[in-house]
Structures are given as C-alpha cells and as structure tokens.
PDB file of all heavy atoms in Angstrom:
ATOM      1  N   CYS A  26      -5.002 107.358-127.129  1.00 98.00           N
ATOM      2  CA  CYS A  26      -4.729 108.096-128.366  1.00 98.00           C
ATOM      3  C   CYS A  26      -4.560 107.170-129.563  1.00 98.00           C
ATOM      4  O   CYS A  26      -5.115 107.424-130.639  1.00 98.00           O
ATOM      5  CB  CYS A  26      -3.475 108.950-128.186  1.00 98.00           C
ATOM      6  SG  CYS A  26      -2.985 109.859-129.672  1.00 98.00           S
ATOM      7  N   PHE A  27      -3.805 106.085-129.387  1.00 98.00           N
ATOM      8  CA  PHE A  27      -3.443 105.238-130.529  1.00 98.00           C
ATOM      9  C   PHE A  27      -4.241 103.938-130.598  1.00 98.00           C
ATOM     10  O   PHE A  27      -3.945 103.082-131.429  1.00 98.00           O
ATOM     11  CB  PHE A  27      -1.944 104.933-130.476  1.00 98.00           C
ATOM     12  CG  PHE A  27      -1.083 106.141-130.736  1.00 98.00           C
ATOM     13  CD1 PHE A  27      -0.439 106.784-129.687  1.00 98.00           C
ATOM     14  CD2 PHE A  27      -0.946 106.655-132.012  1.00 98.00           C
ATOM     15  CE1 PHE A  27       0.356 107.906-129.915  1.00 98.00           C
ATOM     16  CE2 PHE A  27      -0.156 107.773-132.256  1.00 98.00           C
ATOM     17  CZ  PHE A  27       0.488 108.407-131.205  1.00 98.00           C
ATOM     18  N   GLY A  28      -5.256 103.800-129.747  1.00 98.00           N
ATOM     19  CA  GLY A  28      -6.103 102.620-129.817  1.00 98.00           C
ATOM     20  C   GLY A  28      -5.399 101.345-129.409  1.00 98.00           C
ATOM     21  O   GLY A  28      -5.539 100.310-130.068  1.00 98.00           O
ATOM     22  N   LYS A  29      -4.652 101.401-128.302  1.00 98.00           N
ATOM     23  CA  LYS A  29      -3.887 100.252-127.822  1.00 98.00           C
ATOM     24  C   LYS A  29      -4.436  99.767-126.485  1.00 98.00           C
ATOM     25  O   LYS A  29      -5.198 100.467-125.811  1.00 98.00           O
ATOM     26  CB  LYS A  29      -2.406 100.626-127.652  1.00 98.00           C
ATOM     27  CG  LYS A  29      -1.746 101.232-128.878  1.00 98.00           C
ATOM     28  CD  LYS A  29      -1.626 100.238-130.012  1.00 98.00           C
ATOM     29  CE  LYS A  29      -0.924 100.866-131.209  1.00 98.00           C
ATOM     30  NZ  LYS A  29      -0.766  99.914-132.326  1.00 98.00           N
ATOM     31  N   ASP A  30      -4.026  98.582-126.097  1.00 98.00           N
ATOM     32  CA  ASP A  30      -4.314  98.063-124.769  1.00 98.00           C
ATOM     33  C   ASP A  30      -3.361  98.744-123.785  1.00 98.00           C
ATOM     34  O   ASP A  30      -2.135  98.661-123.939  1.00 98.00           O
ATOM     35  CB  ASP A  30      -4.106  96.547-124.763  1.00 98.00           C
ATOM     36  CG  ASP A  30      -4.436  95.901-123.428  1.00 98.00           C
ATOM     37  OD1 ASP A  30      -4.019  96.441-122.381  1.00 98.00           O
ATOM     38  OD2 ASP A  30      -5.076  94.838-123.417  1.00 98.00           O
ATOM     39  N   SER A  31      -3.897  99.406-122.768  1.00 98.00           N
ATOM     40  CA  SER A  31      -3.048 100.168-121.852  1.00 98.00           C
ATOM     41  C   SER A  31      -2.069  99.279-121.096  1.00 98.00           C
ATOM     42  O   SER A  31      -0.968  99.715-120.747  1.00 98.00           O
ATOM     43  CB  SER A  31      -3.897 100.973-120.869  1.00 98.00           C
ATOM     44  OG  SER A  31      -4.696 100.120-120.071  1.00 98.00           O
ATOM     45  N   ASN A  32      -2.449  98.028-120.845  1.00 98.00           N
ATOM     46  CA  ASN A  32      -1.529  97.108-120.168  1.00 98.00           C
ATOM     47  C   ASN A  32      -0.326  96.784-121.042  1.00 98.00           C
ATOM     48  O   ASN A  32       0.804  96.681-120.550  1.00 98.00           O
ATOM     49  CB  ASN A  32      -2.247  95.827-119.764  1.00 98.00           C
ATOM     50  CG  ASN A  32      -3.252  96.052-118.656  1.00 98.00           C
ATOM     51  OD1 ASN A  32      -2.985  96.805-117.718  1.00 98.00           O
ATOM     52  ND2 ASN A  32      -4.413  95.422-118.766  1.00 98.00           N
ATOM     53  N   LEU A  33      -0.558  96.628-122.353  1.00 98.00           N
ATOM     54  CA  LEU A  33       0.550  96.366-123.277  1.00 98.00           C
ATOM     55  C   LEU A  33       1.458  97.588-123.395  1.00 98.00           C
ATOM     56  O   LEU A  33       2.687  97.460-123.472  1.00 98.00           O
ATOM     57  CB  LEU A  33       0.017  95.962-124.652  1.00 98.00           C
ATOM     58  CG  LEU A  33      -0.740  94.639-124.731  1.00 98.00           C
ATOM     59  CD1 LEU A  33      -1.240  94.392-126.155  1.00 98.00           C
ATOM     60  CD2 LEU A  33       0.136  93.480-124.259  1.00 98.00           C
ATOM     61  N   VAL A  34       0.859  98.767-123.401  1.00 98.00           N
ATOM     62  CA  VAL A  34       1.665  99.992-123.455  1.00 98.00           C
ATOM     63  C   VAL A  34       2.513 100.117-122.191  1.00 98.00           C
ATOM     64  O   VAL A  34       3.714 100.433-122.261  1.00 98.00           O
ATOM     65  CB  VAL A  34       0.769 101.234-123.619  1.00 98.00           C
ATOM     66  CG1 VAL A  34       1.621 102.506-123.580  1.00 98.00           C
ATOM     67  CG2 VAL A  34      -0.008 101.168-124.926  1.00 98.00           C
ATOM     68  N   LEU A  35       1.918  99.842-121.044  1.00 97.00           N
ATOM     69  CA  LEU A  35       2.676  99.916-119.795  1.00 97.00           C
ATOM     70  C   LEU A  35       3.796  98.887-119.781  1.00 97.00           C
ATOM     71  O   LEU A  35       4.902  99.180-119.289  1.00 97.00           O
ATOM     72  CB  LEU A  35       1.752  99.704-118.601  1.00 97.00           C
ATOM     73  CG  LEU A  35       2.396  99.850-117.217  1.00 97.00           C
ATOM     74  CD1 LEU A  35       3.023 101.235-117.048  1.00 97.00           C
ATOM     75  CD2 LEU A  35       1.366  99.605-116.117  1.00 97.00           C
ATOM     76  N   ASN A  36       3.553  97.704-120.341  1.00 97.00           N
ATOM     77  CA  ASN A  36       4.618  96.694-120.439  1.00 97.00           C
ATOM     78  C   ASN A  36       5.789  97.225-121.260  1.00 97.00           C
ATOM     79  O   ASN A  36       6.956  97.023-120.909  1.00 97.00           O
ATOM     80  CB  ASN A  36       4.082  95.412-121.073  1.00 97.00           C
ATOM     81  CG  ASN A  36       3.180  94.619-120.142  1.00 97.00           C
ATOM     82  OD1 ASN A  36       3.184  94.827-118.938  1.00 97.00           O
ATOM     83  ND2 ASN A  36       2.403  93.715-120.712  1.00 97.00           N
ATOM     84  N   ASP A  37       5.477  97.903-122.368  1.00 96.00           N
ATOM     85  CA  ASP A  37       6.537  98.496-123.201  1.00 96.00           C
ATOM     86  C   ASP A  37       7.326  99.537-122.406  1.00 96.00           C
ATOM     87  O   ASP A  37       8.562  99.558-122.432  1.00 96.00           O
ATOM     88  CB  ASP A  37       5.924  99.179-124.427  1.00 96.00           C
ATOM     89  CG  ASP A  37       5.572  98.214-125.546  1.00 96.00           C
ATOM     90  OD1 ASP A  37       5.677  96.986-125.332  1.00 96.00           O
ATOM     91  OD2 ASP A  37       5.185  98.691-126.632  1.00 96.00           O
ATOM     92  N   ILE A  38       6.606 100.414-121.717  1.00 96.00           N
ATOM     93  CA  ILE A  38       7.254 101.470-120.945  1.00 96.00           C
ATOM     94  C   ILE A  38       8.128 100.870-119.847  1.00 96.00           C
ATOM     95  O   ILE A  38       9.267 101.309-119.629  1.00 96.00           O
ATOM     96  CB  ILE A  38       6.204 102.429-120.363  1.00 96.00           C
ATOM     97  CG1 ILE A  38       5.554 103.240-121.492  1.00 96.00           C
ATOM     98  CG2 ILE A  38       6.827 103.369-119.334  1.00 96.00           C
ATOM     99  CD1 ILE A  38       4.356 104.067-121.056  1.00 96.00           C
ATOM    100  N   ASN A  39       7.595  99.869-119.159  1.00 94.00           N
ATOM    101  CA  ASN A  39       8.373  99.227-118.093  1.00 94.00           C
ATOM    102  C   ASN A  39       9.628  98.565-118.648  1.00 94.00           C
ATOM    103  O   ASN A  39      10.692  98.607-118.024  1.00 94.00           O
ATOM    104  CB  ASN A  39       7.515  98.203-117.357  1.00 94.00           C
ATOM    105  CG  ASN A  39       6.509  98.841-116.429  1.00 94.00           C
ATOM    106  OD1 ASN A  39       6.683  99.982-116.003  1.00 94.00           O
ATOM    107  ND2 ASN A  39       5.441  98.132-116.113  1.00 94.00           N
ATOM    108  N   TYR A  40       9.511  97.967-119.824  1.00 91.00           N
ATOM    109  CA  TYR A  40      10.683  97.323-120.429  1.00 91.00           C
ATOM    110  C   TYR A  40      11.783  98.352-120.690  1.00 91.00           C
ATOM    111  O   TYR A  40      12.969  98.085-120.442  1.00 91.00           O
ATOM    112  CB  TYR A  40      10.304  96.630-121.736  1.00 91.00           C
ATOM    113  CG  TYR A  40      11.459  95.880-122.378  1.00 91.00           C
ATOM    114  CD1 TYR A  40      11.647  94.521-122.139  1.00 91.00           C
ATOM    115  CD2 TYR A  40      12.368  96.528-123.210  1.00 91.00           C
ATOM    116  CE1 TYR A  40      12.706  93.831-122.709  1.00 91.00           C
ATOM    117  CE2 TYR A  40      13.434  95.851-123.778  1.00 91.00           C
ATOM    118  CZ  TYR A  40      13.593  94.500-123.530  1.00 91.00           C
ATOM    119  OH  TYR A  40      14.663  93.827-124.090  1.00 91.00           O
ATOM    120  N   LEU A  41      11.372  99.519-121.173  1.00 89.00           N
ATOM    121  CA  LEU A  41      12.368 100.534-121.524  1.00 89.00           C
ATOM    122  C   LEU A  41      12.982 101.188-120.287  1.00 89.00           C
ATOM    123  O   LEU A  41      14.187 101.459-120.254  1.00 89.00           O
ATOM    124  CB  LEU A  41      11.719 101.612-122.405  1.00 89.00           C
ATOM    125  CG  LEU A  41      12.678 102.640-123.027  1.00 89.00           C
ATOM    126  CD1 LEU A  41      13.613 101.970-124.021  1.00 89.00           C
ATOM    127  CD2 LEU A  41      11.894 103.753-123.721  1.00 89.00           C
ATOM    128  N   PHE A  42      12.162 101.415-119.251  1.00 87.00           N
ATOM    129  CA  PHE A  42      12.613 102.239-118.137  1.00 87.00           C
ATOM    130  C   PHE A  42      12.890 101.485-116.848  1.00 87.00           C
ATOM    131  O   PHE A  42      13.593 102.000-115.976  1.00 87.00           O
ATOM    132  CB  PHE A  42      11.586 103.344-117.853  1.00 87.00           C
ATOM    133  CG  PHE A  42      11.539 104.413-118.901  1.00 87.00           C
ATOM    134  CD1 PHE A  42      10.587 104.368-119.908  1.00 87.00           C
ATOM    135  CD2 PHE A  42      12.446 105.446-118.897  1.00 87.00           C
ATOM    136  CE1 PHE A  42      10.542 105.347-120.890  1.00 87.00           C
ATOM    137  CE2 PHE A  42      12.413 106.427-119.869  1.00 87.00           C
ATOM    138  CZ  PHE A  42      11.458 106.387-120.868  1.00 87.00           C
ATOM    139  N   ASP A  43      12.320 100.299-116.657  1.00 83.00           N
ATOM    140  CA  ASP A  43      12.545  99.574-115.409  1.00 83.00           C
ATOM    141  C   ASP A  43      13.985  99.081-115.310  1.00 83.00           C
ATOM    142  O   ASP A  43      14.686  98.939-116.312  1.00 83.00           O
ATOM    143  CB  ASP A  43      11.595  98.380-115.287  1.00 83.00           C
ATOM    144  CG  ASP A  43      10.258  98.780-114.656  1.00 83.00           C
ATOM    145  OD1 ASP A  43      10.045  99.996-114.472  1.00 83.00           O
ATOM    146  OD2 ASP A  43       9.433  97.893-114.378  1.00 83.00           O
ATOM    147  N   GLU A  44      14.399  98.813-114.122  1.00 70.00           N
ATOM    148  CA  GLU A  44      15.736  98.287-113.829  1.00 70.00           C
ATOM    149  C   GLU A  44      16.843  99.244-114.258  1.00 70.00           C
ATOM    150  O   GLU A  44      17.975  98.827-114.533  1.00 70.00           O
ATOM    151  CB  GLU A  44      15.944  96.906-114.471  1.00 70.00           C
ATOM    152  CG  GLU A  44      14.942  95.865-113.981  1.00 70.00           C
ATOM    153  CD  GLU A  44      15.150  94.514-114.631  1.00 70.00           C
ATOM    154  OE1 GLU A  44      16.151  94.358-115.360  1.00 70.00           O
ATOM    155  OE2 GLU A  44      14.320  93.633-114.409  1.00 70.00           O
ATOM    156  N   ILE A  45      16.487 100.518-114.344  1.00 81.00           N
ATOM    157  CA  ILE A  45      17.487 101.541-114.652  1.00 81.00           C
ATOM    158  C   ILE A  45      17.766 102.333-113.388  1.00 81.00           C
ATOM    159  O   ILE A  45      16.842 102.821-112.733  1.00 81.00           O
ATOM    160  CB  ILE A  45      17.005 102.488-115.769  1.00 81.00           C
ATOM    161  CG1 ILE A  45      16.913 101.755-117.093  1.00 81.00           C
ATOM    162  CG2 ILE A  45      17.939 103.688-115.893  1.00 81.00           C
ATOM    163  CD1 ILE A  45      16.393 102.617-118.222  1.00 81.00           C
ATOM    164  N   ASP A  46      19.024 102.440-113.034  1.00 88.00           N
ATOM    165  CA  ASP A  46      19.423 103.330-111.948  1.00 88.00           C
ATOM    166  C   ASP A  46      19.691 104.696-112.568  1.00 88.00           C
ATOM    167  O   ASP A  46      20.702 104.906-113.245  1.00 88.00           O
ATOM    168  CB  ASP A  46      20.683 102.790-111.259  1.00 88.00           C
ATOM    169  CG  ASP A  46      21.151 103.688-110.117  1.00 88.00           C
ATOM    170  OD1 ASP A  46      20.545 104.761-109.915  1.00 88.00           O
ATOM    171  OD2 ASP A  46      22.137 103.318-109.449  1.00 88.00           O
ATOM    172  N   PHE A  47      18.757 105.631-112.356  1.00 90.00           N
ATOM    173  CA  PHE A  47      18.873 106.923-113.012  1.00 90.00           C
ATOM    174  C   PHE A  47      20.015 107.771-112.468  1.00 90.00           C
ATOM    175  O   PHE A  47      20.373 108.778-113.073  1.00 90.00           O
ATOM    176  CB  PHE A  47      17.545 107.663-112.938  1.00 90.00           C
ATOM    177  CG  PHE A  47      16.482 107.056-113.820  1.00 90.00           C
ATOM    178  CD1 PHE A  47      15.425 106.359-113.262  1.00 90.00           C
ATOM    179  CD2 PHE A  47      16.568 107.146-115.193  1.00 90.00           C
ATOM    180  CE1 PHE A  47      14.455 105.782-114.066  1.00 90.00           C
ATOM    181  CE2 PHE A  47      15.613 106.580-116.006  1.00 90.00           C
ATOM    182  CZ  PHE A  47      14.552 105.893-115.443  1.00 90.00           C
ATOM    183  N   ASN A  48      20.616 107.357-111.372  1.00 94.00           N
ATOM    184  CA  ASN A  48      21.834 108.025-110.927  1.00 94.00           C
ATOM    185  C   ASN A  48      22.981 107.806-111.908  1.00 94.00           C
ATOM    186  O   ASN A  48      23.985 108.523-111.868  1.00 94.00           O
ATOM    187  CB  ASN A  48      22.232 107.539-109.535  1.00 94.00           C
ATOM    188  CG  ASN A  48      21.306 108.073-108.454  1.00 94.00           C
ATOM    189  OD1 ASN A  48      20.979 109.257-108.437  1.00 94.00           O
ATOM    190  ND2 ASN A  48      20.850 107.203-107.569  1.00 94.00           N
ATOM    191  N   ASN A  49      22.813 106.819-112.790  1.00 95.00           N
ATOM    192  CA  ASN A  49      23.825 106.595-113.825  1.00 95.00           C
ATOM    193  C   ASN A  49      23.918 107.761-114.802  1.00 95.00           C
ATOM    194  O   ASN A  49      24.889 107.858-115.566  1.00 95.00           O
ATOM    195  CB  ASN A  49      23.525 105.307-114.594  1.00 95.00           C
ATOM    196  CG  ASN A  49      23.952 104.073-113.829  1.00 95.00           C
ATOM    197  OD1 ASN A  49      24.898 104.112-113.044  1.00 95.00           O
ATOM    198  ND2 ASN A  49      23.263 102.968-114.040  1.00 95.00           N
ATOM    199  N   LEU A  50      22.918 108.641-114.787  1.00 95.00           N
ATOM    200  CA  LEU A  50      22.958 109.810-115.662  1.00 95.00           C
ATOM    201  C   LEU A  50      23.954 110.860-115.187  1.00 95.00           C
ATOM    202  O   LEU A  50      24.208 111.833-115.892  1.00 95.00           O
ATOM    203  CB  LEU A  50      21.570 110.440-115.765  1.00 95.00           C
ATOM    204  CG  LEU A  50      20.468 109.571-116.355  1.00 95.00           C
ATOM    205  CD1 LEU A  50      19.120 110.268-116.223  1.00 95.00           C
ATOM    206  CD2 LEU A  50      20.748 109.236-117.812  1.00 95.00           C
ATOM    207  N   LEU A  51      24.531 110.650-114.015  1.00 97.00           N
ATOM    208  CA  LEU A  51      25.384 111.669-113.406  1.00 97.00           C
ATOM    209  C   LEU A  51      26.858 111.524-113.748  1.00 97.00           C
ATOM    210  O   LEU A  51      27.656 112.384-113.371  1.00 97.00           O
ATOM    211  CB  LEU A  51      25.212 111.631-111.879  1.00 97.00           C
ATOM    212  CG  LEU A  51      23.801 111.875-111.348  1.00 97.00           C
ATOM    213  CD1 LEU A  51      23.767 111.688-109.831  1.00 97.00           C
ATOM    214  CD2 LEU A  51      23.300 113.270-111.729  1.00 97.00           C
ATOM    215  N   SER A  52      27.249 110.455-114.424  1.00 97.00           N
ATOM    216  CA  SER A  52      28.679 110.235-114.687  1.00 97.00           C
ATOM    217  C   SER A  52      28.880 109.495-115.994  1.00 97.00           C
ATOM    218  O   SER A  52      27.984 108.805-116.487  1.00 97.00           O
ATOM    219  CB  SER A  52      29.303 109.416-113.550  1.00 97.00           C
ATOM    220  OG  SER A  52      28.791 108.086-113.565  1.00 97.00           O
ATOM    221  N   ILE A  53      30.070 109.617-116.544  1.00 97.00           N
ATOM    222  CA  ILE A  53      30.398 108.897-117.774  1.00 97.00           C
ATOM    223  C   ILE A  53      30.387 107.399-117.537  1.00 97.00           C
ATOM    224  O   ILE A  53      29.964 106.623-118.398  1.00 97.00           O
ATOM    225  CB  ILE A  53      31.754 109.370-118.348  1.00 97.00           C
ATOM    226  CG1 ILE A  53      32.012 108.719-119.714  1.00 97.00           C
ATOM    227  CG2 ILE A  53      32.895 109.092-117.374  1.00 97.00           C
ATOM    228  CD1 ILE A  53      33.244 109.268-120.413  1.00 97.00           C
ATOM    229  N   GLU A  54      30.814 106.967-116.359  1.00 97.00           N
ATOM    230  CA  GLU A  54      30.799 105.537-116.030  1.00 97.00           C
ATOM    231  C   GLU A  54      29.367 105.013-116.013  1.00 97.00           C
ATOM    232  O   GLU A  54      29.079 103.929-116.537  1.00 97.00           O
ATOM    233  CB  GLU A  54      31.471 105.288-114.688  1.00 97.00           C
ATOM    234  CG  GLU A  54      32.955 105.581-114.645  1.00 97.00           C
ATOM    235  CD  GLU A  54      33.285 107.063-114.476  1.00 97.00           C
ATOM    236  OE1 GLU A  54      32.352 107.868-114.220  1.00 97.00           O
ATOM    237  OE2 GLU A  54      34.481 107.426-114.600  1.00 97.00           O
ATOM    238  N   GLY A  55      28.472 105.795-115.417  1.00 96.00           N
ATOM    239  CA  GLY A  55      27.069 105.390-115.372  1.00 96.00           C
ATOM    240  C   GLY A  55      26.436 105.364-116.749  1.00 96.00           C
ATOM    241  O   GLY A  55      25.670 104.444-117.079  1.00 96.00           O
ATOM    242  N   LEU A  56      26.752 106.360-117.584  1.00 96.00           N
ATOM    243  CA  LEU A  56      26.217 106.377-118.941  1.00 96.00           C
ATOM    244  C   LEU A  56      26.667 105.156-119.728  1.00 96.00           C
ATOM    245  O   LEU A  56      25.901 104.598-120.526  1.00 96.00           O
ATOM    246  CB  LEU A  56      26.657 107.650-119.666  1.00 96.00           C
ATOM    247  CG  LEU A  56      25.988 108.954-119.241  1.00 96.00           C
ATOM    248  CD1 LEU A  56      26.577 110.121-120.030  1.00 96.00           C
ATOM    249  CD2 LEU A  56      24.479 108.891-119.437  1.00 96.00           C
ATOM    250  N   ALA A  57      27.898 104.723-119.499  1.00 96.00           N
ATOM    251  CA  ALA A  57      28.400 103.543-120.206  1.00 96.00           C
ATOM    252  C   ALA A  57      27.649 102.282-119.783  1.00 96.00           C
ATOM    253  O   ALA A  57      27.416 101.383-120.595  1.00 96.00           O
ATOM    254  CB  ALA A  57      29.898 103.380-119.966  1.00 96.00           C
ATOM    255  N   VAL A  58      27.253 102.214-118.514  1.00 95.00           N
ATOM    256  CA  VAL A  58      26.449 101.084-118.040  1.00 95.00           C
ATOM    257  C   VAL A  58      25.083 101.079-118.737  1.00 95.00           C
ATOM    258  O   VAL A  58      24.591 100.028-119.178  1.00 95.00           O
ATOM    259  CB  VAL A  58      26.279 101.143-116.507  1.00 95.00           C
ATOM    260  CG1 VAL A  58      25.249 100.114-116.035  1.00 95.00           C
ATOM    261  CG2 VAL A  58      27.615 100.900-115.826  1.00 95.00           C
ATOM    262  N   LEU A  59      24.456 102.251-118.842  1.00 93.00           N
ATOM    263  CA  LEU A  59      23.184 102.348-119.555  1.00 93.00           C
ATOM    264  C   LEU A  59      23.359 102.005-121.027  1.00 93.00           C
ATOM    265  O   LEU A  59      22.514 101.340-121.634  1.00 93.00           O
ATOM    266  CB  LEU A  59      22.609 103.761-119.423  1.00 93.00           C
ATOM    267  CG  LEU A  59      22.172 104.200-118.032  1.00 93.00           C
ATOM    268  CD1 LEU A  59      21.690 105.651-118.064  1.00 93.00           C
ATOM    269  CD2 LEU A  59      21.075 103.300-117.490  1.00 93.00           C
ATOM    270  N   TRP A  60      24.452 102.455-121.603  1.00 94.00           N
ATOM    271  CA  TRP A  60      24.761 102.176-123.013  1.00 94.00           C
ATOM    272  C   TRP A  60      24.832 100.670-123.249  1.00 94.00           C
ATOM    273  O   TRP A  60      24.293 100.165-124.237  1.00 94.00           O
ATOM    274  CB  TRP A  60      26.092 102.846-123.355  1.00 94.00           C
ATOM    275  CG  TRP A  60      26.489 102.852-124.791  1.00 94.00           C
ATOM    276  CD1 TRP A  60      27.422 102.052-125.390  1.00 94.00           C
ATOM    277  CD2 TRP A  60      26.017 103.738-125.819  1.00 94.00           C
ATOM    278  NE1 TRP A  60      27.561 102.375-126.720  1.00 94.00           N
ATOM    279  CE2 TRP A  60      26.709 103.411-127.001  1.00 94.00           C
ATOM    280  CE3 TRP A  60      25.086 104.767-125.834  1.00 94.00           C
ATOM    281  CZ2 TRP A  60      26.486 104.077-128.202  1.00 94.00           C
ATOM    282  CZ3 TRP A  60      24.871 105.430-127.032  1.00 94.00           C
ATOM    283  CH2 TRP A  60      25.557 105.089-128.189  1.00 94.00           C
ATOM    284  N   LYS A  61      25.475  99.968-122.352  1.00 94.00           N
ATOM    285  CA  LYS A  61      25.603  98.509-122.463  1.00 94.00           C
ATOM    286  C   LYS A  61      24.224  97.852-122.507  1.00 94.00           C
ATOM    287  O   LYS A  61      23.978  96.960-123.327  1.00 94.00           O
ATOM    288  CB  LYS A  61      26.407  97.966-121.277  1.00 94.00           C
ATOM    289  CG  LYS A  61      26.603  96.448-121.271  1.00 94.00           C
ATOM    290  CD  LYS A  61      27.408  96.037-120.048  1.00 94.00           C
ATOM    291  CE  LYS A  61      27.594  94.525-119.986  1.00 94.00           C
ATOM    292  NZ  LYS A  61      28.546  94.056-121.006  1.00 94.00           N
ATOM    293  N   ARG A  62      23.316  98.331-121.665  1.00 88.00           N
ATOM    294  CA  ARG A  62      21.965  97.747-121.621  1.00 88.00           C
ATOM    295  C   ARG A  62      21.205  98.022-122.899  1.00 88.00           C
ATOM    296  O   ARG A  62      20.605  97.117-123.502  1.00 88.00           O
ATOM    297  CB  ARG A  62      21.190  98.318-120.432  1.00 88.00           C
ATOM    298  CG  ARG A  62      19.752  97.799-120.321  1.00 88.00           C
ATOM    299  CD  ARG A  62      19.013  98.506-119.180  1.00 88.00           C
ATOM    300  NE  ARG A  62      17.694  97.958-118.944  1.00 88.00           N
ATOM    301  CZ  ARG A  62      16.602  98.348-119.587  1.00 88.00           C
ATOM    302  NH1 ARG A  62      16.694  99.268-120.534  1.00 88.00           N
ATOM    303  NH2 ARG A  62      15.418  97.811-119.303  1.00 88.00           N
ATOM    304  N   PHE A  63      21.198  99.275-123.354  1.00 87.00           N
ATOM    305  CA  PHE A  63      20.369  99.628-124.496  1.00 87.00           C
ATOM    306  C   PHE A  63      20.933  99.103-125.812  1.00 87.00           C
ATOM    307  O   PHE A  63      20.179  98.668-126.687  1.00 87.00           O
ATOM    308  CB  PHE A  63      20.181 101.147-124.567  1.00 87.00           C
ATOM    309  CG  PHE A  63      19.235 101.678-123.538  1.00 87.00           C
ATOM    310  CD1 PHE A  63      19.668 102.563-122.559  1.00 87.00           C
ATOM    311  CD2 PHE A  63      17.910 101.283-123.522  1.00 87.00           C
ATOM    312  CE1 PHE A  63      18.796 103.049-121.600  1.00 87.00           C
ATOM    313  CE2 PHE A  63      17.033 101.760-122.568  1.00 87.00           C
ATOM    314  CZ  PHE A  63      17.467 102.647-121.601  1.00 87.00           C
TER     315      PHE A  63
END
C-alpha cells in the first residue's frame, strides 16, 4: 500500500510486538510491565 520494503515493515512490526507477553494484558501488574517497556 505505502510503497515500502516488506522486510523493513516486518522489522518495525516485530520491534513493536515481539518480546511481549500478552498475558500481561490480564492484570494491572502486567500492564505496568508493558508500560515500562513502551
């Protein structure tokens, strides 16, 4: 859509979403851990 290299786009997506334990979405303690990262 935006005329980008798909590998670079995937790198961006992986940076944002990789190494995230999505179970952290289930509690305030987990959200605070995600908050620290972002």
